[in-house]
């Protein structure tokens, strides 16, 4: 799962990492996937103020919606870029 950096997550602590009645997860912020670890995530932890590799995480909010551009917005941005290139060809061709 790829999520935007900065999403709030809870990182599960395995039973050998906490006492019986201690919290079973810790609060943190998602940083990125841990590329050298299978299905793990890099999480910045509040408690330690450091990045930790987490195997099991709970995501907040559950459904992360990414903002998207409408087709009309993409066309307007493209037309503005073309117009700028036509007005000043030196910017369009840096060579």
């Amino acid at each position: 799962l790829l999520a935007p950096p900065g999403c709030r997550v809870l990182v599960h602590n395995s039973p050998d990492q906490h006492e019986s009645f201690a919290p079973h997860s810790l609060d943190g912020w998602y940083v990125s996937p841990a590329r050298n670890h299978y299905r793990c995530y890099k999480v910045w932890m509040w408690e330690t103020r450091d990045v930790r590799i987490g195997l099991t995480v709970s995501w907040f909010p559950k459904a992360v919606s990414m903002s998207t551009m409408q087709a009309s917005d993409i066309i307007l941005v493209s037309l503005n870029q073309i117009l700028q290139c036509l007005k000043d060809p030196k910017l369009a061709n840096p060579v």
Side-chain angles (χ1 to χ4, degrees):
L1 173 71
L2 289 176
C7 284
R8 181 174 175 241
V9 295
L10 290 176
V11 180
H12 176 75
N13 284 335
S14 59
D16 60 339
Q17 292 179 333
H18 64 81
E19 297 180 18
S20 296
F21 294 101
H24 292 232
S25 61
L26 297 172
D27 198 20
W29 298 97
Y30 172 75
V31 176
S32 67
R35 303 239 183 253
N36 295 330
H37 303 275
Y38 183 70
R39 292 188 181 177
C40 292
Y41 308 96
K42 289 183 184 178
V43 179
W44 186 83
M45 304 302 296
W46 278 106
E47 190 173 286
T48 61
R49 305 269 191 242
D50 199 10
V51 175
R52 168 181 163 183
I53 305 295
L55 174 60
T56 305
V57 297
S58 297
W59 302 88
F60 294 96
K62 297 257 184 218
V64 177
S65 61
M66 298 295 289
S67 61
T68 57
M69 293 178 68
Q70 299 293 330
S72 58
D73 295 332
I74 295 171
I75 292 170
L76 284 175
V77 169
S78 300
L79 288 174
N80 283 330
Q81 290 174 347
I82 291 171
L83 186 61
Q84 287 176 350
C85 291
L86 291 174
K87 285 182 179 178
D88 192 1
K90 292 177 187 173
L91 292 177
N93 191 4
V95 178

